[in-house]
Each structure stands twice: as structure tokens, then as C-alpha cells.
Amino acid sequence: MKAFYELGKAVASSRKALRLKQKDVAVQAGITPESLSRLERGQITEFGSRKLLALLAVLGLEISFTKVGMSGTLDELRRERSGV
């Protein structure tokens, strides 16, 4: 499932950028370290919304919605086109 793989990679990237350990983030989010590890590796088929929101809160992230095929802001389009 591509969506969970991409979500897991984004979570792992954010966690690593904050220099946080999986175990510490998992405990703060109220999930098991194994669940977090499996999510980050894209090896999970289900992940509850409450767990996801708790995990994102620990990482200082939030969810936003964009229509399929619609890019974000003008700045994001410029970055996308310049390859930055």
C-alpha cells in the first residue's frame, strides 16, 4: 500500500530531523515501538486515526488536505519546478 509507505517515510524523516528515538516517540504517542517501526518501514496495513493524530502531535505535525492533482502554494510550485 503506497499511501502507508509514504506516510511512514514522512514520519521517519520528521522524527530523525528532530533527533528523536523511535521508542521515545512511541511512548509519548501511546503506541508500541513495534507499531511505529512497522509504520516507518511501510509494513503496516492499518493505523488508527487516533494513533496517527497522537503520533503527529508528538512530532509537531498536522494533516492538511489537498484535492488530487492540485499542488500547494505558489512557493511550493516554484520549489517543485526548480527541483529544490
Side-chain angles (χ1 to χ4, degrees):
M1 183 172 251
K2 187 176 180 181
F4 275 120
Y5 178 80
E6 291 172 351
L7 176 64
K9 292 297 175 191
V11 165
S13 177
S14 296
R15 178 184 58 76
K16 290 172 184 176
L18 294 169
R19 297 184 177 177
L20 297 173
K21 295 179 180 179
Q22 278 184 336
K23 182 180 178 182
D24 296 334
V25 171
V27 167
Q28 289 180 47
I31 62 176
T32 66
E34 178 62 23
S35 291
L36 178 55
S37 175
R38 291 183 64 222
L39 174 68
E40 288 187 359
R41 290 179 289 156
Q43 297 178 338
I44 199 163
T45 58
E46 288 188 22
F47 200 80
S49 58
R50 287 185 183 165
K51 291 178 183 180
L52 178 59
L53 292 173
L55 176 58
L56 295 178
V58 170
L59 297 173
L61 300 172
E62 60 184 26
I63 296 173
S64 64
F65 297 92
T66 306
K67 287 187 178 186
V68 173
M70 301 295 290
S71 290
T73 66
L74 183 56
D75 288 336
E76 289 171 337
L77 283 172
R78 286 182 183 141
R79 282 193 297 268
E80 185 178 300
R81 287 192 178 159
S82 67
V84 176

